[in-house]
């Protein structure tokens, strides 16, 4: 397991740790419900440095990336970005990517444990291109402030960032002691949110600044459990939970925000275009509200049934503090995935009911 650069910083604040894809992650700081409340009502500071980060440099970096991903990169100016999927020639997902166009490079932010495989894929397609693929994780960390008071917290640090006004927009700042920092508009839980990419040796003083600023607004540090709970409540799929190497992007509902149908060729483009032209996918991601039955809270992989027929499976399930009940996300076959459909879930503890609901969840 690769440890967080700020392990001691978190440990001194009573952090409990877990592991995600071989990377150390803060699970919580002893009160995950308070951390979740901060995400929803004020703001929370999260160390997301366990996530993968690659940088593409060189004159051909935009052309190479545009031929690899599902969204349009070539028309993005410096300071903008987009969300995209990286798929195989059969249209199956290898990863999703947050893509940030910086003045001299492209920054890719994605799920942990995938950097080596994705770098290898890019290297495979670099023939005579002027492109370098660099693992940025050893050099730059990622801190994030999420919640309705996120920008107010960043303003309180005194770093004098210009607010990135739209999602994926970035603003750079050269600080005399902290070095070069990028602030990116990146909501991760359905409210406001901003990511800060900073040199590893500046992470601790930056974390102190953010923590102090958030606390002044009623916020706090938060860990993985609070973040995942807020993500599911917002109906946001995550690669490694709702999405993996077996999924087509349209199954997860990524059409509107991750796929350009006009950009031209990229690896897997023919499959994705054919799905749009000839019909819907066989299954689709749906929100699920579970009954408080004897079966208990479902687990990832538990099967969904209509009568005696299996029609899908659960990808995430949890007890939501915001909604006051058990909710989850899962894939349901097309013939039974209409809003309001009533299904059954077979769990290790028995059987419980499930109703398909609109996303994001509402109380």
């Amino acid at each position: 397991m690769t440890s967080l650069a700020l392990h001691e910083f978190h440990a001194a604040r009573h952090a409990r740790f877990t592991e995600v894809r071989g990377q150390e992650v803060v699970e919580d700081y002893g009160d995950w419900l308070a951390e979740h409340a901060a995400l929803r009502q004020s703001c929370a500071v999260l160390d997301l440095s366990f996530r993968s980060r690659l940088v593409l440099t060189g004159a051909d970096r935009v052309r190479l990336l545009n031929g690899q991903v599902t969204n349009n990169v070539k028309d993005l100016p410096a300071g903008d970005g987009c969300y995209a999927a990286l798929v195989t020639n059969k249209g199956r997902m290898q990863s999703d990517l947050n893509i940030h166009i910086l003045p001299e490079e492209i920054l890719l932010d994605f799920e942990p444990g995938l950097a080596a495989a994705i770098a290898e894929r890019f290297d495979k397609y670099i023939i005579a291109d002027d492109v370098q693929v660099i693992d940025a994780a050893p050099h730059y960390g990622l801190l994030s402030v999420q919640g309705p008071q996120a920008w107010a917290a960043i303003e309180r640090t005194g770093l004098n960032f210009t607010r990135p006004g739209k999602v994926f927009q970035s603003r750079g700042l050269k600080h005399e002691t902290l070095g070069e920092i990028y602030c990116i508009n990146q909501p991760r839980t359905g409210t406001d949110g901003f990511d800060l990419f900073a040199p590893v040796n500046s992470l601790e003083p930056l974390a102190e600044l953010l923590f102090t600023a958030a606390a002044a607004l009623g916020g706090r540090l938060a860990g993985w459990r609070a973040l995942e709970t807020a993500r599911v409540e917002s109906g946001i799929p995550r690669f490694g939970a709702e999405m993996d190497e077996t999924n087509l992007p349209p199954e997860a509902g990524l059409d509107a925000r991750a796929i350009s149908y006009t950009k031209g060729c990229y690896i897997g483009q023919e499959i994705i275009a054919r799905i749009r032209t000839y019909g819907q996918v066989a299954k689709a991601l749906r929100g699920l509200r579970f009954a408080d039955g004897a079966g208990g809270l479902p687990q990832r992989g538990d099967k969904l049934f209509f009568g005696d027929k299996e029609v899908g499976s659960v990808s995430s399930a949890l007890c939501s503090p915001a909604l006051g009940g058990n909710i989850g996300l899962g894939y349901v076959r097309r013939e039974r995935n209409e809003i309001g459909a009533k299904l059954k879930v077979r769990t290790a503890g028995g059987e419980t009911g499930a109703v398909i609901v609109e996303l994001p969840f509402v109380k």
Side-chain angles (χ1 to χ4, degrees), residues 52-208:
S52 299
R53 291 176 295 288
L54 290 179
V55 163
L56 304 182
T57 63
D60 299 322
R61 61 188 183 275
V62 171
R63 185 175 62 81
L64 174 82
L65 185 61
N66 201 58
Q68 296 286 323
V69 300
T70 57
N71 216 339
N72 183 13
V73 177
K74 68 179 177 64
D75 296 327
L76 292 174
D80 273 10
C82 68
Y83 178 65
L86 190 69
V87 301
T88 68
N89 57 7
K90 295 184 178 180
R92 305 290 174 177
M93 292 186 66
Q94 186 176 4
S95 179
D96 62 349
L97 302 170
N98 294 322
I99 300 172
H100 306 298
I101 309 299
L102 304 182
E104 302 296 333
E105 58 198 14
I106 301 174
L107 172 62
L108 307 177
D109 158 53
F110 50 102
E111 289 294 310
L114 299 174
I118 292 177
E120 182 179 351
R121 168 171 169 158
F122 290 154
D123 285 337
K124 177 182 175 182
Y125 288 94
I126 298 172
I127 309 299
D129 306 279
D130 178 13
V131 183
Q132 297 78 46
V133 183
I134 302 165
D135 185 358
H139 312 291
Y140 261 69
L142 171 55
L143 301 177
S144 190
V145 188
Q146 299 288 320
Q149 294 294 313
W151 185 251
I154 291 175
E155 286 186 311
R156 290 185 72 95
T157 64
L159 291 174
N160 295 320
F161 276 109
T162 301
R163 178 172 179 155
K166 62 181 181 179
V167 175
F168 282 98
Q169 196 168 61
S170 61
R171 293 286 185 264
L173 178 74
K174 291 185 178 179
H175 191 272
E176 60 182 61
T177 58
L178 298 177
E180 190 168 24
I181 306 172
Y182 285 95
C183 178
I184 298 174
N185 189 324
Q186 190 69 68
R188 293 180 180 270
T189 63
T191 59
D192 285 344
F194 298 87
D195 287 352
L196 291 100
F197 292 87
V200 167
N201 59 8
S202 298
L203 284 180
E204 185 165 350
L206 179 59
E208 290 278 10

Side-chain angles (χ1 to χ4, degrees), residues 261 272-279:
Y261 289 102
I272 304 299
R274 194 178 305 152
I275 292 170
R276 187 187 191 213
T277 301
Y278 294 107

Side-chain angles (χ1 to χ4, degrees), residues 45 73 232 361:
V45 178
V73 177
V232 174
F361 294 94

